[in-house]
């Protein structure tokens, strides 16, 4: 993932003509702030990208990365808004790199998520132990909720199955920003958690629908990767669509999962590979999705 650069003796880097301000918290690990829209910022640290809505009624935060990132996240929020208090914490899904900071970041906040997030966090999932009860969402939804905060409409909308079975996207209607959680990895092969109810075809559908409904000028906060535009999202849709079609054809032709992986992908898609989701792992996910044994 992108690493923020520490700037010695310079904690705040003013943006050019108010387009974008980059704040680098004087903390280790560092957190970088990217302006996304009116009152809305994206924080890049380690783990899933964080969304922040600031304003006089208090701060709403989307996702909490890891516990070790909380001091950096709080310093970044303080840089955006003096005495800005985190009053609402939304989790886009239950994975540890999105809920790991919940206890400290959400201590004084209303913690909120889809009902499945609470359910999965409250019990052991594979080798992931049950979360601290103080990390659990206290307000949950099945389909979503609309909030009216800081003069803006903020909509939490359940989508999918996509990355998991409990994904929420957060739509900042008045700022023109949407936080897609891990339904969207910008410029890299996505992780689709088939063992937690996720679906590649479902994720593709979510991206297509989001793109068709959002104005083309909107900014998109992906779960991982840099702040995106509609164009970036279209590239990801094309990649998933094309690679899924390749694998579906192979599986329909009788290839096993191992044979699908061994056959690789055309050169044009190889640059989407990264540390966590290599070409092999992406092919394996696609083959499983298509029912290959
Ligand atoms: Zn995730």
């Amino acid at each position: 993932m992108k690493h923020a650069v520490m700037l010695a003796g310079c904690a705040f880097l003013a943006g050019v003509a108010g387009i974008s301000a980059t704040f680098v918290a004087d903390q280790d690990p560092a957190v970088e702030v990217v302006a996304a829209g009116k009152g809305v910022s994206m924080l890049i640290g380690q783990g899933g990208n964080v969304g922040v809505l600031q304003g006089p009624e208090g701060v709403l935060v989307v996702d909490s990365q890891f516990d070790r990132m909380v001091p950096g996240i709080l310093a970044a929020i303080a840089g955006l808004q003096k005495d800005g208090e985190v009053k609402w914490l939304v989790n886009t899904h239950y994975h540890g790199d999105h809920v790991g900071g919940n206890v400290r970041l959400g201590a004084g906040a209303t913690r909120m998520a889809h009902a499945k997030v609470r359910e999965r966090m409250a019990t052991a999932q594979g080798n992931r132990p049950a979360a601290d009860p103080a990390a659990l969402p206290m307000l949950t939804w099945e389909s979503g909720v609309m909030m009216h905060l800081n003069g803006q409409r903020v909509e939490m909308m359940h989508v999918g199955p996509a990355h998991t079975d409990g994904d929420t996207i957060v739509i900042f209607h008045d700022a023109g920003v949407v936080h897609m959680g891990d339904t969207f990895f910008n410029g890299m092969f996505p992780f689709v958690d088939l063992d937690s109810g996720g679906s590649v075809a479902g994720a593709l559908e979510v991206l297509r629908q989001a793109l068709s409904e959002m104005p083309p000028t909107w900014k998109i906060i992906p779960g991982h990767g840099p702040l995106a535009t509609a164009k970036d999202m279209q590239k990801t849709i094309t990649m998933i669509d094309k690679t899924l079609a390749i694998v579906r054809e192979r599986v329909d032709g009788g290839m096993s999962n191992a044979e699908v992986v061994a056959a690789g992908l055309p050169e044009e898609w190889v640059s989407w590979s990264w540390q966590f989701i290599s070409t092999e792992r992406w092919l394996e996910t696609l083959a499983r999705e298509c029912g290959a044994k």
Side-chain angles (χ1 to χ4, degrees):
M1 224 70 3
K2 192 171 171 187
H3 291 285
V5 183
M6 292 294 283
L7 298 178
C10 176
F12 188 78
L13 204 65
V16 182
I19 297 164
S20 152
T22 302
F23 168 87
V24 180
D26 187 19
Q27 292 283 341
D28 188 21
V31 171
E32 184 188 346
V33 179
V34 180
K38 191 178 72 176
V40 178
S41 306
M42 168 175 131
L43 310 190
I44 305 168
Q46 297 170 1
N49 291 322
V50 170
V52 173
L53 169 69
Q54 64 189 87
E57 292 174 339
V59 176
L60 175 134
V61 177
V62 183
D63 285 345
S64 62
Q65 296 196 338
F66 300 103
D67 184 67
R68 65 175 181 275
M69 298 308 299
V70 172
I73 292 169
L74 288 172
I77 291 169
L80 288 165
Q81 181 176 345
K82 196 172 172 286
D83 303 323
E85 201 186 321
V86 179
K87 286 201 179 164
W88 303 275
L89 173 61
V90 184
N91 292 123
T92 59
H93 63 290
Y94 86 98
H95 285 152
D97 59 327
H98 297 258
V99 305
N102 269 23
V103 171
R104 283 202 284 167
L105 196 61
T110 301
R111 298 181 302 273
M112 313 182 285
H114 184 266
K116 281 276 183 193
V117 175
R118 183 183 163 94
E119 197 181 306
R120 288 191 183 278
M121 284 177 73
T123 52
Q125 303 287 315
N127 47 20
R128 192 195 303 269
D132 184 331
L136 297 179
M138 53 186 68
L139 190 158
T140 63
W141 50 79
E142 292 292 340
S143 58
V145 67
M146 179 72 88
M147 293 180 75
H148 304 265
L149 301 174
N150 297 324
Q152 300 201 27
R153 287 166 301 149
V154 183
E155 186 175 6
M156 270 59 75
M157 184 192 285
H158 171 52
V159 293
H163 175 64
T164 65
D165 57 5
D167 298 309
T168 290
I169 65 171
V170 182
I171 308 166
F172 299 95
H173 285 277
D174 299 282
V177 179
V178 58
H179 191 315
M180 295 296 294
D182 277 3
T183 67
F184 181 36
F185 283 63
N186 185 16
M188 57 186 93
F189 290 136
F191 171 45
V192 177
D193 191 348
L194 300 178
D195 295 321
S196 299
S199 155
V200 177
L204 189 54
E205 184 52 33
V206 165
L207 295 179
R208 280 194 172 126
Q209 196 158 348
L211 192 62
S212 75
E213 287 178 12
M214 93 178 65
T217 52
W218 277 32
K219 290 291 195 303
I220 307 161
I221 300 177
H224 298 269
L227 187 69
T229 62
K231 221 171 160 181
D232 298 318
M233 195 184 256
Q234 182 56 58
K235 281 186 197 160
T236 296
I237 290 170
T238 303
M239 181 279 293
I240 296 174
D241 190 33
K242 293 262 166 78
T243 56
L244 180 60
I246 290 168
V247 169
R248 189 160 279 148
E249 202 181 309
R250 289 177 185 172
V251 174
D252 287 350
M255 277 194 186
S256 68
N257 192 311
E259 286 166 337
V260 167
V261 173
L265 274 177
E267 189 58 34
E268 62 182 304
W269 306 119
V270 170
S271 67
W272 292 72
S273 162
W274 56 295
Q275 191 187 9
F276 186 48
I277 307 292
S278 61
T279 303
E280 291 72 26
R281 188 147 183 216
W282 177 233
L283 282 168
E284 205 170 52
T285 302
L286 292 171
R288 250 185 89 187
E289 168 92 7
C290 295
K293 295 284 177 270

